[in-house]
PDB file of all heavy atoms in Angstrom:
ATOM      1  N   ALA J  22     233.553  53.939 156.339  1.00 94.00           N
ATOM      2  CA  ALA J  22     233.876  53.328 155.017  1.00 94.00           C
ATOM      3  C   ALA J  22     234.316  54.368 154.019  1.00 94.00           C
ATOM      4  O   ALA J  22     235.330  54.148 153.343  1.00 94.00           O
ATOM      5  CB  ALA J  22     232.647  52.571 154.500  1.00 94.00           C
ATOM      6  N   LEU J  25     237.845  55.638 154.840  1.00 94.00           N
ATOM      7  CA  LEU J  25     238.855  54.666 154.431  1.00 94.00           C
ATOM      8  C   LEU J  25     239.051  54.679 152.936  1.00 94.00           C
ATOM      9  O   LEU J  25     240.190  54.590 152.451  1.00 94.00           O
ATOM     10  CB  LEU J  25     238.457  53.268 154.920  1.00 94.00           C
ATOM     11  CG  LEU J  25     238.587  53.054 156.420  1.00 94.00           C
ATOM     12  CD1 LEU J  25     237.985  51.660 156.801  1.00 94.00           C
ATOM     13  CD2 LEU J  25     240.061  53.106 156.852  1.00 94.00           C
ATOM     14  N   ILE J  30     242.632  55.128 150.898  1.00 90.00           N
ATOM     15  CA  ILE J  30     243.065  54.476 149.663  1.00 90.00           C
ATOM     16  C   ILE J  30     243.282  55.506 148.552  1.00 90.00           C
ATOM     17  O   ILE J  30     244.386  55.632 148.013  1.00 90.00           O
ATOM     18  CB  ILE J  30     242.066  53.381 149.238  1.00 90.00           C
ATOM     19  CG1 ILE J  30     241.949  52.336 150.287  1.00 90.00           C
ATOM     20  CG2 ILE J  30     242.499  52.757 147.905  1.00 90.00           C
ATOM     21  CD1 ILE J  30     240.855  51.296 150.055  1.00 90.00           C
ATOM     22  N   LEU J  99     228.781  52.382 148.480  1.00 90.00           N
ATOM     23  CA  LEU J  99     228.926  52.390 149.935  1.00 90.00           C
ATOM     24  C   LEU J  99     227.753  53.131 150.587  1.00 90.00           C
ATOM     25  O   LEU J  99     227.203  52.715 151.611  1.00 90.00           O
ATOM     26  CB  LEU J  99     230.259  53.000 150.338  1.00 90.00           C
ATOM     27  CG  LEU J  99     231.493  52.144 150.140  1.00 90.00           C
ATOM     28  CD1 LEU J  99     232.737  52.939 150.381  1.00 90.00           C
ATOM     29  CD2 LEU J  99     231.460  50.919 151.047  1.00 90.00           C
ATOM     30  N   VAL J 102     224.672  50.824 150.254  1.00 87.00           N
ATOM     31  CA  VAL J 102     224.781  49.663 151.153  1.00 87.00           C
ATOM     32  C   VAL J 102     224.520  50.061 152.604  1.00 87.00           C
ATOM     33  O   VAL J 102     223.738  49.413 153.313  1.00 87.00           O
ATOM     34  CB  VAL J 102     226.177  48.992 151.035  1.00 87.00           C
ATOM     35  CG1 VAL J 102     226.480  48.048 152.203  1.00 87.00           C
ATOM     36  CG2 VAL J 102     226.263  48.235 149.696  1.00 87.00           C
ATOM     37  N   ASN J 103     225.165  51.104 153.037  1.00 88.00           N
ATOM     38  CA  ASN J 103     224.984  51.519 154.439  1.00 88.00           C
ATOM     39  C   ASN J 103     223.614  52.118 154.747  1.00 88.00           C
ATOM     40  O   ASN J 103     223.117  52.029 155.851  1.00 88.00           O
ATOM     41  CB  ASN J 103     226.107  52.453 154.861  1.00 88.00           C
ATOM     42  CG  ASN J 103     227.440  51.713 154.937  1.00 88.00           C
ATOM     43  OD1 ASN J 103     227.580  50.768 155.700  1.00 88.00           O
ATOM     44  ND2 ASN J 103     228.391  52.133 154.127  1.00 88.00           N
ATOM     45  N   LEU J 111     225.895  43.553 160.397  1.00 91.00           N
ATOM     46  CA  LEU J 111     226.875  42.579 160.006  1.00 91.00           C
ATOM     47  C   LEU J 111     226.980  42.464 158.487  1.00 91.00           C
ATOM     48  O   LEU J 111     228.073  42.430 157.933  1.00 91.00           O
ATOM     49  CB  LEU J 111     226.573  41.202 160.639  1.00 91.00           C
ATOM     50  CG  LEU J 111     227.629  40.133 160.467  1.00 91.00           C
ATOM     51  CD1 LEU J 111     228.965  40.610 161.062  1.00 91.00           C
ATOM     52  CD2 LEU J 111     227.211  38.825 161.089  1.00 91.00           C
ATOM     53  N   THR J 112     225.821  42.500 157.808  1.00 88.00           N
ATOM     54  CA  THR J 112     225.816  42.496 156.342  1.00 88.00           C
ATOM     55  C   THR J 112     226.467  43.738 155.774  1.00 88.00           C
ATOM     56  O   THR J 112     227.300  43.678 154.878  1.00 88.00           O
ATOM     57  CB  THR J 112     224.377  42.357 155.840  1.00 88.00           C
ATOM     58  OG1 THR J 112     223.772  41.190 156.361  1.00 88.00           O
ATOM     59  CG2 THR J 112     224.296  42.365 154.335  1.00 88.00           C
ATOM     60  N   ALA J 113     226.133  44.882 156.361  1.00 88.00           N
ATOM     61  CA  ALA J 113     226.711  46.163 155.904  1.00 88.00           C
ATOM     62  C   ALA J 113     228.223  46.145 156.082  1.00 88.00           C
ATOM     63  O   ALA J 113     228.983  46.553 155.155  1.00 88.00           O
ATOM     64  CB  ALA J 113     226.077  47.327 156.624  1.00 88.00           C
ATOM     65  N   LEU J 114     228.672  45.699 157.241  1.00 91.00           N
ATOM     66  CA  LEU J 114     230.122  45.722 157.527  1.00 91.00           C
ATOM     67  C   LEU J 114     230.851  44.748 156.578  1.00 91.00           C
ATOM     68  O   LEU J 114     231.920  45.033 156.087  1.00 91.00           O
ATOM     69  CB  LEU J 114     230.370  45.308 158.991  1.00 91.00           C
ATOM     70  CG  LEU J 114     230.077  46.403 160.040  1.00 91.00           C
ATOM     71  CD1 LEU J 114     230.182  45.786 161.427  1.00 91.00           C
ATOM     72  CD2 LEU J 114     231.006  47.574 159.861  1.00 91.00           C
ATOM     73  N   THR J 115     230.230  43.583 156.331  1.00 92.00           N
ATOM     74  CA  THR J 115     230.841  42.615 155.425  1.00 92.00           C
ATOM     75  C   THR J 115     230.986  43.201 153.995  1.00 92.00           C
ATOM     76  O   THR J 115     232.033  43.122 153.369  1.00 92.00           O
ATOM     77  CB  THR J 115     230.031  41.332 155.350  1.00 92.00           C
ATOM     78  OG1 THR J 115     229.928  40.779 156.693  1.00 92.00           O
ATOM     79  CG2 THR J 115     230.650  40.308 154.428  1.00 92.00           C
ATOM     80  N   LEU J 116     229.875  43.825 153.490  1.00 91.00           N
ATOM     81  CA  LEU J 116     229.907  44.434 152.154  1.00 91.00           C
ATOM     82  C   LEU J 116     230.887  45.577 152.100  1.00 91.00           C
ATOM     83  O   LEU J 116     231.596  45.734 151.114  1.00 91.00           O
ATOM     84  CB  LEU J 116     228.504  44.878 151.759  1.00 91.00           C
ATOM     85  CG  LEU J 116     227.518  43.735 151.486  1.00 91.00           C
ATOM     86  CD1 LEU J 116     226.128  44.255 151.265  1.00 91.00           C
ATOM     87  CD2 LEU J 116     227.965  42.866 150.325  1.00 91.00           C
ATOM     88  N   ASN J 117     230.959  46.398 153.180  1.00 92.00           N
ATOM     89  CA  ASN J 117     231.932  47.482 153.216  1.00 92.00           C
ATOM     90  C   ASN J 117     233.355  46.952 153.124  1.00 92.00           C
ATOM     91  O   ASN J 117     234.180  47.444 152.376  1.00 92.00           O
ATOM     92  CB  ASN J 117     231.810  48.293 154.514  1.00 92.00           C
ATOM     93  CG  ASN J 117     230.607  49.163 154.512  1.00 92.00           C
ATOM     94  OD1 ASN J 117     229.989  49.471 153.501  1.00 92.00           O
ATOM     95  ND2 ASN J 117     230.223  49.618 155.702  1.00 92.00           N
ATOM     96  N   GLY J 118     233.621  45.897 153.904  1.00 93.00           N
ATOM     97  CA  GLY J 118     234.934  45.283 153.894  1.00 93.00           C
ATOM     98  C   GLY J 118     235.311  44.713 152.530  1.00 93.00           C
ATOM     99  O   GLY J 118     236.470  44.891 152.068  1.00 93.00           O
ATOM    100  N   VAL J 119     234.368  44.049 151.865  1.00 93.00           N
ATOM    101  CA  VAL J 119     234.611  43.498 150.550  1.00 93.00           C
ATOM    102  C   VAL J 119     234.909  44.609 149.559  1.00 93.00           C
ATOM    103  O   VAL J 119     235.866  44.535 148.783  1.00 93.00           O
ATOM    104  CB  VAL J 119     233.411  42.623 150.091  1.00 93.00           C
ATOM    105  CG1 VAL J 119     233.542  42.291 148.623  1.00 93.00           C
ATOM    106  CG2 VAL J 119     233.348  41.347 150.930  1.00 93.00           C
ATOM    107  N   LEU J 120     234.085  45.656 149.546  1.00 92.00           N
ATOM    108  CA  LEU J 120     234.289  46.757 148.588  1.00 92.00           C
ATOM    109  C   LEU J 120     235.634  47.442 148.819  1.00 92.00           C
ATOM    110  O   LEU J 120     236.343  47.722 147.843  1.00 92.00           O
ATOM    111  CB  LEU J 120     233.143  47.759 148.733  1.00 92.00           C
ATOM    112  CG  LEU J 120     231.781  47.339 148.190  1.00 92.00           C
ATOM    113  CD1 LEU J 120     230.690  48.263 148.680  1.00 92.00           C
ATOM    114  CD2 LEU J 120     231.788  47.297 146.664  1.00 92.00           C
ATOM    115  N   LEU J 121     235.948  47.735 150.062  1.00 93.00           N
ATOM    116  CA  LEU J 121     237.237  48.383 150.364  1.00 93.00           C
ATOM    117  C   LEU J 121     238.399  47.519 150.022  1.00 93.00           C
ATOM    118  O   LEU J 121     239.419  48.000 149.469  1.00 93.00           O
ATOM    119  CB  LEU J 121     237.261  48.855 151.816  1.00 93.00           C
ATOM    120  CG  LEU J 121     236.255  49.949 152.174  1.00 93.00           C
ATOM    121  CD1 LEU J 121     236.224  50.160 153.679  1.00 93.00           C
ATOM    122  CD2 LEU J 121     236.598  51.239 151.459  1.00 93.00           C
ATOM    123  N   ALA J 122     238.332  46.230 150.352  1.00 92.00           N
ATOM    124  CA  ALA J 122     239.417  45.310 150.043  1.00 92.00           C
ATOM    125  C   ALA J 122     239.621  45.199 148.514  1.00 92.00           C
ATOM    126  O   ALA J 122     240.778  45.209 148.054  1.00 92.00           O
ATOM    127  CB  ALA J 122     239.145  43.942 150.656  1.00 92.00           C
ATOM    128  N   VAL J 123     238.545  45.115 147.771  1.00 90.00           N
ATOM    129  CA  VAL J 123     238.673  45.013 146.324  1.00 90.00           C
ATOM    130  C   VAL J 123     239.335  46.266 145.746  1.00 90.00           C
ATOM    131  O   VAL J 123     240.226  46.197 144.887  1.00 90.00           O
ATOM    132  CB  VAL J 123     237.284  44.752 145.656  1.00 90.00           C
ATOM    133  CG1 VAL J 123     237.333  45.035 144.173  1.00 90.00           C
ATOM    134  CG2 VAL J 123     236.828  43.346 145.972  1.00 90.00           C
ATOM    135  N   MET J 124     238.912  47.435 146.228  1.00 90.00           N
ATOM    136  CA  MET J 124     239.515  48.675 145.726  1.00 90.00           C
ATOM    137  C   MET J 124     240.978  48.773 146.120  1.00 90.00           C
ATOM    138  O   MET J 124     241.786  49.261 145.356  1.00 90.00           O
ATOM    139  CB  MET J 124     238.743  49.902 146.231  1.00 90.00           C
ATOM    140  CG  MET J 124     237.349  50.028 145.614  1.00 90.00           C
ATOM    141  SD  MET J 124     237.338  50.107 143.830  1.00 90.00           S
ATOM    142  CE  MET J 124     238.050  51.730 143.567  1.00 90.00           C
ATOM    143  N   TYR J 125     241.320  48.389 147.338  1.00 91.00           N
ATOM    144  CA  TYR J 125     242.714  48.410 147.774  1.00 91.00           C
ATOM    145  C   TYR J 125     243.591  47.550 146.905  1.00 91.00           C
ATOM    146  O   TYR J 125     244.670  47.958 146.453  1.00 91.00           O
ATOM    147  CB  TYR J 125     242.794  47.965 149.245  1.00 91.00           C
ATOM    148  CG  TYR J 125     244.211  47.966 149.773  1.00 91.00           C
ATOM    149  CD1 TYR J 125     244.786  49.178 150.224  1.00 91.00           C
ATOM    150  CD2 TYR J 125     244.943  46.845 149.798  1.00 91.00           C
ATOM    151  CE1 TYR J 125     246.068  49.191 150.691  1.00 91.00           C
ATOM    152  CE2 TYR J 125     246.269  46.825 150.264  1.00 91.00           C
ATOM    153  CZ  TYR J 125     246.819  48.020 150.689  1.00 91.00           C
ATOM    154  OH  TYR J 125     248.115  48.040 151.174  1.00 91.00           O
TER     155      TYR J 125
END
Side-chain angles (χ1 to χ4, degrees):
L25 287 173
I30 300 174
L99 285 172
V102 163
N103 289 301
L111 189 57
T112 302
L114 286 173
T115 302
L116 291 172
N117 286 343
V119 168
L120 288 166
L121 293 171
V123 165
M124 290 303 288
Y125 179 81

